[in-house]
Amino acid sequence: LEAELQLDRLKPRLSRRVLLLQGHQSSWHQELALSPGTPPQCHNLTAYLRDEADFKDKLSPVALSLSLALPTGTTGLVLYGDTLVQAQVRGHGDTGTSLQGGLVPT
């Protein structure tokens, strides 16, 4: 399963105000290996707001998106449920956004 997180996705890449602590990038992409009968996976990622002197736009909300997709060429499975979650954050706090779904053999 391919997972992709985009932080401050409405801004051009070089103007993004929020970056991941590990790697200092505004996006995260990972292939998740899933097997039948295994417990759900959880990935915690920490992000930070760049210094206010580094950007002009301090009023618009930060838009986040998380998407899940089957790898190209995958046969015999169907991805169902929420495959794209988008949220906006204003000020301090956690969005509490979660993604739920599953795989069904065809």
Side-chain angles (χ1 to χ4, degrees):
L1 196 60
E2 295 177 356
E4 182 178 18
L5 173 68
Q6 292 286 328
L7 303 174
D8 208 10
R9 66 177 190 78
L10 299 178
K11 297 283 182 196
R13 282 204 184 270
L14 295 176
S15 300
R16 294 190 177 178
R17 302 162 291 176
V18 178
L19 302 173
L20 292 167
L21 188 58
Q22 185 176 357
H24 309 287
Q25 298 294 317
S26 61
S27 63
W28 173 83
H29 183 269
Q30 185 169 348
E31 258 190 51
L32 306 174
L34 303 176
S35 301
T38 60
Q41 292 186 20
C42 179
H43 290 271
N44 292 314
L45 302 170
T46 302
Y48 67 93
L49 184 64
R50 292 173 45 201
D51 189 287
E52 288 185 16
D54 293 342
F55 58 89
K56 294 180 183 179
D57 182 4
K58 295 172 180 59
L59 298 177
S60 62
V62 174
L64 313 170
S65 69
L66 176 65
S67 65
L68 296 175
L70 292 172
T72 305
T74 301
T75 59
L77 292 174
V78 174
L79 186 62
Y80 73 91
D82 297 326
T83 58
L84 176 65
V85 173
Q86 300 181 73
Q88 289 188 355
V89 180
R90 284 189 185 268
H92 302 292
D94 183 6
T95 64
T97 302
S98 65
L99 188 70
Q100 297 181 358
L103 297 172
V104 176
T106 58

